[in-house]
Amino acid sequence: MTKKMDDGPLRDELILHPIEKRILLFLTKSGPASFAAIAEKTALDEGAVAKAAQWLALKNLVKVEENITDKKVELGYEGKIYAEKGLPERRLVDFLEKIGGEAELSDIRASGILSEDEIRIGVIWAKKNGWIEIIRKGDEAVLELKKYPKERTEEEIVLQLLKAGQRSLASLGPYASACERLSKRPNIVKITEEVIHVVSPTDMAIRMGDELLSAIEEVSQLTPELISSGKWREVAFSRYNLSAPVKPTYSARLHPLTMLIDMVKETFVEMGFEEVRGPLVELAFWNFDALFQPQDHPAREMHDTFYLANPSKGIPPAKFVDSVRRTHEDGGDTGSKGWGYKWSIEEASKLVLRTHTTATTIRYLSEHNEPPVRVFTVDRVYRNEKVDWKHLAELHQIEGILMDRSVSLRHLMGIIKEFYMRLGISNVRFRPSYFPYTEPSAEVEVLLGENNKWTELGGMGIFRPEVTRPLGVKYPVLAWGLGLERLAMAVFNLKDIRELYRNDLSWIRSVPINFSKVASRRRD
Ligand code: PHE
């Protein structure tokens, strides 16, 4: 606070607000103290102390310093799991010890005591710690126990100490550095710094001593009493200080993901597309068959797709059943040979939780085959996936189609580039790919995140005649399906995708309302 108040009070005398006076008297008696300590001792609100301290600093009566004194630690997402089950490297060497000191990687996998990710992490750390060695025997990797850690490690002690909840780093005493080592590993412990403001009286304030008591009273509000009593003549009125730091207040707001969804929807609307919605519970017919995915396609199996138990079946649209059947069996009128198998209406009647929003756009297309069609949807899809830091079983896709007389792959690339550009992401590239329903097909990759990594965000392509003809569509249809959560991870700089759905208030509050500007600033 260096700005001088040149339009300041007319009088030269010392002017103090009663709150300022109270704080000064406390400080000159007891010495430097933090906002929180002053608030406690003077029975004032911490925000009021902060404000008054800034004014006092302006009057050269106190000095306010920022100290980072306190670091708080708490268990992260994985940390909570490890505190219960043990670190992956511990569980790995425990297993090796139990079975005689040696195991093939495939045995460890088969044992099921560690997930695929945990095996990877466990091997890295057990090796780093000198506990194991990896030997190649032919095609197999064999893990050999070199040194079994009988005692708990410092890291393990830290996990136990943090199990009871958040505490200060300093309170971990000799284990503080082990805690800092753990914080370098993703999602185990979270260390947050706390800034403390310390206020100390200046020499001038100390010299003034009792003089402080006779300061002219500053008031912040003109009341009827001040006017009628004439006391307004004696007091000084405080002025506004718009740059004084205050405690943040958190008003109601939308969840960051909702804000991002709105932004994505607005972007497509600005680009001339209309929003459509479709059912979450979908016929396999629309989710797969209409998209020319053969009935024995691996994606249709139980372990990728959630099938409904009750009701388990619906009725595929009679209007399209025959043309779709023939396309699968021998290509029908599409010029294709089809897949050459016997198509089953039973299979197409099954109800699934939609695995992609392409089910929604194809449904729409079947009822709207006059050009032009320009629609999008941003909605939920479900996949039978094991949830981890980068996978969710319930997620959102940004889907769209454009059908018109003479559109081509160039237009499709243009649309996708333009979309990301409008979100502030200017590096987009396409790689040839495969989907049963598009030809050509491509993967969309964008340059994202703090460390500028090419990240796969979805797929696109032009619907094959095997998809469009059976629905009576005569013109090319450009189609795309992009991931929302991966984009969100980059925009909000998250290391764990589950964070988006944890409803951790401190995270939700910490995302700036104008994050879109934050996202686009990163590009420069
Ligand atoms: N449906 C595909 C997916 O879920 C994405 C996609 C949509 C690909 C449209 C091509 C065309 O990954």
Side-chain angles (χ1 to χ4, degrees):
M1 211 63 34
T2 50
K3 207 165 146 269
K4 239 187 122 252
M5 298 204 309
D6 39 16
D7 56 346
L10 295 172
R11 304 172 253 212
D12 260 353
E13 296 97 322
L14 179 62
I15 299 169
L16 289 177
H17 189 277
I19 292 183
E20 291 175 333
K21 205 187 271 183
R22 217 144 110 200
I23 294 173
L24 260 186
L25 289 174
F26 169 73
L27 290 175
T28 47
K29 249 193 280 132
S30 330
S34 68
F35 283 176
I38 299 172
E40 201 196 315
K41 296 281 162 44
T42 56
L44 287 166
D45 171 72
E46 202 177 322
V49 172
K51 239 181 278 174
Q54 296 307 325
W55 279 114
L56 287 170
L58 218 61
K59 296 173 189 169
N60 217 0
L61 293 168
V62 303
K63 227 169 62 211
V64 182
E65 277 165 322
E66 277 186 9
N67 282 352
I68 302 172
T69 50
D70 215 11
K71 287 187 182 175
K72 288 260 166 14
V73 281
E74 64 189 317
L75 289 176
Y77 216 85
E78 305 289 354
K80 284 188 189 137
I81 298 170
Y82 297 161
E84 289 303 327
K85 297 211 278 184
L87 284 164
E89 59 268 35
R90 162 63 66 187
R91 280 185 278 148
L92 182 71
V93 292
D94 279 353
F95 177 75
L96 288 174
E97 169 81 355
K98 207 174 81 200
I99 67 160
E102 201 183 287
E104 289 183 356
L105 205 49
S106 55
D107 294 336
I108 298 172
R109 284 205 181 97
S111 76
I113 48 158
L114 295 152
S115 72
E116 209 36 56
D117 261 350
E118 289 172 336
I119 292 178
R120 192 175 44 76
I121 299 166
V123 168
I124 293 174
W125 286 96
K127 197 157 172 281
K128 245 191 207 158
N129 295 347
W131 297 345
I132 62 162
E133 230 168 72
I134 306 171
I135 302 156
R136 288 231 147 251
K137 284 197 182 151
D139 273 350
E140 260 298 340
V142 176
L143 305 191
E144 227 178 69
L145 190 58
K146 284 279 137 201
K147 197 177 93 205
Y148 177 67
K150 289 200 187 62
E151 306 283 316
R152 279 203 296 185
T153 64
E154 292 188 341
E155 278 83 349
E156 288 174 312
I157 296 171
V158 169
L159 288 183
Q160 293 315 310
L161 289 173
L162 291 177
K163 232 164 132 176
Q166 194 195 59
R167 53 194 289 172
S168 77
L169 185 64
S171 77
L172 292 176
Y175 302 111
S177 53
C179 182
E180 275 171 319
R181 286 199 298 278
L182 272 181
S183 73
K184 305 255 159 35
R185 296 171 59 169
N187 304 320
I188 299 187
V189 297
K190 207 160 84 190
I191 303 187
T192 39
E193 287 178 346
E194 208 167 48
V195 179
I196 293 192
H197 291 88
V198 177
V199 193
S200 33
T202 58
D203 289 346
M204 181 166 118
I206 295 169
R207 249 186 285 117
M208 286 170 79
D210 281 350
E211 235 182 279
L212 294 171
L213 292 170
S214 55
I216 292 170
E217 186 183 336
E218 182 175 277
V219 299
S220 37
Q221 244 177 47
L222 181 60
T223 58
E225 291 75 39
L226 280 175
I227 298 175
S228 58
S229 65
K231 204 177 161 216
W232 62 272
R233 276 182 246 272
E234 290 153 36
V235 300
F237 292 98
S238 47
R239 56 199 56 241
Y240 291 112
N241 177 1
L242 296 181
S243 55
V246 290
K247 256 188 137 172
T249 51
Y250 299 106
S251 56
R253 62 167 294 173
L254 292 176
H255 190 285
L257 200 63
T258 308
M259 296 176 70
L260 183 62
I261 291 174
D262 288 348
M263 211 167 111
V264 166
K265 288 183 177 176
E266 266 163 38
T267 306
F268 273 110
V269 169
E270 280 167 14
M271 287 168 63
F273 291 80
E274 205 177 305
E275 185 179 358
V276 294
R277 308 274 316 254
L280 296 178
V281 171
E282 185 56 280
L283 281 163
F285 181 85
W286 290 121
N287 199 79
F288 299 122
D289 297 279
L291 291 165
F292 197 51
Q293 300 203 53
Q295 295 189 325
D296 62 356
H297 193 277
R300 297 177 72 138
E301 274 172 37
M302 276 297 226
H303 58 251
D304 284 326
T305 303
F306 291 113
Y307 284 87
L308 258 71
N310 191 13
S312 63
K313 297 230 164 98
I315 303 167
K319 193 160 127 194
F320 302 118
V321 164
D322 264 341
S323 52
V324 167
R325 173 205 303 280
R326 281 196 294 130
T327 308
H328 278 243
E329 292 187 349
D330 60 16
D333 310 326
T334 64
S336 157
K337 289 197 201 130
W339 295 111
Y341 71 98
K342 183 118 192 55
W343 188 79
S344 138
I345 188 148
E346 287 289 296
E347 198 56 45
S349 309
K350 288 185 178 165
L351 290 174
V352 302
L353 290 184
R354 149 176 93 189
T355 63
H356 55 182
T357 36
T358 319
T360 296
T361 46
I362 197 71
R363 220 178 216 287
Y364 183 85
L365 193 66
S366 73
E367 299 297 332
H368 301 83
N369 50 25
E370 280 309 308
V373 171
R374 285 189 222 101
V375 294
F376 73 95
T377 187
V378 183
D379 219 335
R380 289 197 181 213
V381 302
Y382 300 83
R383 298 202 177 157
N384 197 350
E385 288 245 29
K386 211 176 139 301
V387 173
D388 64 23
W389 67 276
K390 65 169 183 176
H391 295 98
L392 293 168
E394 182 175 349
L395 59 146
H396 290 81
Q397 287 189 320
I398 305 166
E399 186 89 26
I401 50 172
L402 184 143
M403 184 254 272
D404 211 343
R405 285 194 166 74
S406 55
V407 287
S408 69
L409 187 65
R410 283 210 161 268
H411 295 103
L412 178 54
M413 295 195 291
I415 291 167
I416 301 300
K417 278 202 166 168
E418 176 68 25
F419 165 67
Y420 283 116
M421 186 81 112
R422 284 171 186 244
L423 291 186
I425 296 166
S426 50
N427 287 303
V428 181
R429 72 182 184 191
F430 306 101
R431 288 155 54 118
S433 183
Y434 173 79
F435 299 98
Y437 33 97
T438 48
E439 178 59 37
S441 308
E443 247 160 43
V444 181
E445 289 190 338
V446 303
L447 205 54
L448 278 185
E450 277 189 327
N451 35 11
N452 260 358
K453 260 180 40 194
W454 284 104
T455 314
E456 200 226 301
L457 281 191
M460 64 178 211
I462 303 180
F463 280 151
R464 303 176 71 104
E466 290 95 327
V467 173
T468 51
R469 295 273 169 75
L471 305 179
V473 173
K474 296 185 199 68
Y475 303 102
V477 182
L478 315 177
W480 59 92
L482 312 167
L484 178 80
E485 278 82 0
R486 293 278 172 90
L487 175 68
M489 271 176 95
V491 170
F492 301 131
N493 199 13
L494 296 177
K495 294 202 179 62
D496 192 318
I497 200 163
R498 292 167 292 195
E499 192 69 48
L500 291 168
Y501 293 101
R502 266 182 63 206
N503 286 332
D504 172 351
L505 281 184
S506 64
W507 174 68
I508 293 173
R509 285 171 172 165
S510 74
V511 177
I513 299 276
N514 61 347
F515 70 86
S516 60
K517 294 201 188 100
V518 178
S520 53
R521 204 176 313 128
R522 201 166 281 150
R523 140 186 75 146
D524 309 324

